[in-house]
Amino acid sequence: MVNVVLATTRPRNGRVARDLEDYLLVKLGKARVVKSRFSGLLIIEAEVDPRVVSRVILNSPFIGTVIFRVVPVIEYVNELNFTNILNITLPKIRERCGGLKVLVRCRARGRGIGNSQCELELARRLKEQGVNVGVNSPNCLLLVECWEGGCGILMDRLDLISSYAFINIK
């Protein structure tokens, strides 16, 4: 199975994809970096755990200069279907976050729904299931990132995410 990591760059910076792929080939062996149809979004495919790929990118010279976000896709769904996303994430959120506050973020690129609408709908459904959802002092993150190939999900405690992802929570 191929694992996916998403990276956000400056728009129309095509050389970054080639340079990052060369860097990952040296560090990991087999890796493929593809430009998304969404400006500034790279899709990194590797056979290595996405958290490992993220850590390699975090230690690269690209971070903070041309790469601004690194999101390892822990779960994958074909479509932005809130019921499917909740079925996948709810048990894991309860296991990893317990009663801790969960921050919901969504980038619904090309899905016909705004990011805020997506976040509000996911938050509403989580609250209905008894999950503590909020934006002030969260302890956990549920992040849904969509691109033309599907939607990736990252969910975990913020203190753990900071060790393998480069995400600005604010």
Side-chain angles (χ1 to χ4, degrees):
M1 160 142 181
V2 173
N3 295 300
V4 174
V5 175
L6 303 176
T8 304
T9 69
R10 287 196 173 105
R12 293 185 283 288
N13 198 346
R15 216 178 98 209
V16 173
R18 290 188 307 270
D19 292 347
L20 180 60
E21 184 172 85
D22 290 344
Y23 180 83
L24 292 174
L25 286 172
V26 169
K27 296 292 185 177
L28 298 173
K30 189 175 181 181
R32 189 177 106 146
V33 179
V34 180
K35 290 190 292 184
S36 166
R37 73 177 177 97
F38 301 101
S39 185
L41 181 67
L42 300 177
I43 301 145
I44 299 124
E45 299 172 343
E47 294 179 4
V48 181
D49 184 298
R51 289 170 278 236
V52 171
V53 175
S54 292
R55 285 186 187 109
V56 169
I57 296 170
L58 285 175
N59 292 320
S60 77
F62 300 100
I63 269 310
T65 55
V66 292
I67 294 180
F68 303 102
R69 293 176 82 227
V70 178
V71 179
V73 172
I74 305 303
E75 296 288 340
Y76 175 84
V77 292
N78 289 322
E79 290 297 322
L80 182 60
N81 179 307
F82 296 118
T83 303
N84 287 348
I85 291 171
L86 287 179
N87 287 342
I88 291 169
T89 60
L90 197 56
K92 293 177 182 183
I93 287 173
R94 287 190 173 135
E95 173 190 323
R96 293 183 183 144
C97 300
L100 300 174
K101 190 177 285 184
V102 177
L103 174 66
V104 177
R105 288 289 179 246
C106 185
R107 301 294 166 256
R109 300 174 187 93
R111 302 299 168 170
I113 183 173
N115 295 341
S116 296
Q117 292 171 297
C118 179
E119 290 170 2
L120 290 171
E121 181 63 20
L122 281 170
R124 182 186 66 77
R125 290 183 182 216
L126 285 170
K127 282 181 183 178
E128 287 174 354
Q129 296 296 319
V131 175
N132 182 7
V133 177
V135 295
N136 294 328
S137 302
N139 304 98
C140 291
L141 173 68
L142 169 60
L143 174 63
V144 178
E145 290 266 350
C146 296
W147 69 99
E148 65 271 16
C151 294
I153 302 167
L154 171 64
M155 77 218 115
D156 212 338
R157 291 180 29 184
L158 287 176
D159 58 340
L160 297 175
I161 287 174
S162 65
S163 72
Y164 62 77
F166 187 57
I167 301 171
N168 185 4
I169 302 300
K170 307 292 181 211

